[in-house]
Amino acid sequence: MLRATQADTLRRQAAQVLITAMLAASVVVAGPAAPQARAADVPDWVNPCNAPGGKYLCDKAKEGATWIYENSGAKGVVDGVSSAVDFASDPFGYIEGKLRSGTKGMFDAFGEELTGKKPSDPAGDKPKDGKGKPDEKGKGD
């Protein structure tokens, strides 16, 4: 009998992990959507944020939760998972969006280097009187 080498075992495990990840992604994409959570018909006085001084506490709790979310690394994980789900649901659209944003950034940078203006600053394109066409520089006449 042939003995499995360590490389064969690692290759088999990598294939199993890949298949499991693909199955999980397909379940997420093709699986049923979770039902939307709805609050029962509860009067407003039950909400602690509507109690006297409750709005201040709720605002502070929201600020704290936002700070923890942004500084704990959870935001990076959520963004990564969101990107993976976007790619799994529409791979060509995801790639097109990334290429479009990269191309726009590249042309913005080149335009700024060539003209010395930021792309969001088109003030130099207008003539001084505000009428007619802009100056046609570099025509070669």
Side-chain angles (χ1 to χ4, degrees):
M1 291 275 245
L2 293 175
R3 222 173 138 203
T5 63
Q6 187 177 8
D8 292 333
T9 305
L10 289 175
R11 198 173 304 122
R12 190 177 322 113
Q13 287 176 346
Q16 289 172 346
V17 167
L18 182 63
I19 290 171
T20 304
M22 289 172 45
L23 177 64
S26 67
V27 167
V28 167
V29 171
Q36 184 177 6
R38 297 182 186 265
D41 292 329
V42 179
D44 285 341
W45 61 267
V46 175
N47 185 351
C49 293
N50 292 336
K55 182 157 177 53
Y56 175 78
L57 292 174
C58 288
D59 289 344
K60 287 297 179 183
K62 184 178 178 182
E63 287 175 20
T66 303
W67 184 87
I68 289 172
Y69 173 71
E70 290 175 353
N71 295 325
S72 69
K75 184 175 182 181
V77 172
V78 170
D79 290 345
V81 171
S82 176
S83 294
V85 169
D86 287 347
F87 179 77
S89 64
D90 185 15
F92 291 116
Y94 179 82
I95 292 170
E96 184 223 354
K98 290 294 183 181
L99 287 173
R100 184 183 305 263
S101 68
T103 305
K104 182 181 182 317
M106 182 180 67
F107 278 104
D108 286 348
F110 285 150
E112 187 175 343
E113 285 295 319
L114 291 174
T115 62
K117 298 184 293 190
K118 293 191 187 261
S120 60
D121 183 26
D125 292 343
K126 295 181 183 176
K128 293 183 182 94
D129 62 359
K131 298 178 183 175
K133 295 182 180 180
D135 298 342
E136 298 195 17
K137 298 177 183 171
K139 271 291 215 181
D141 290 2

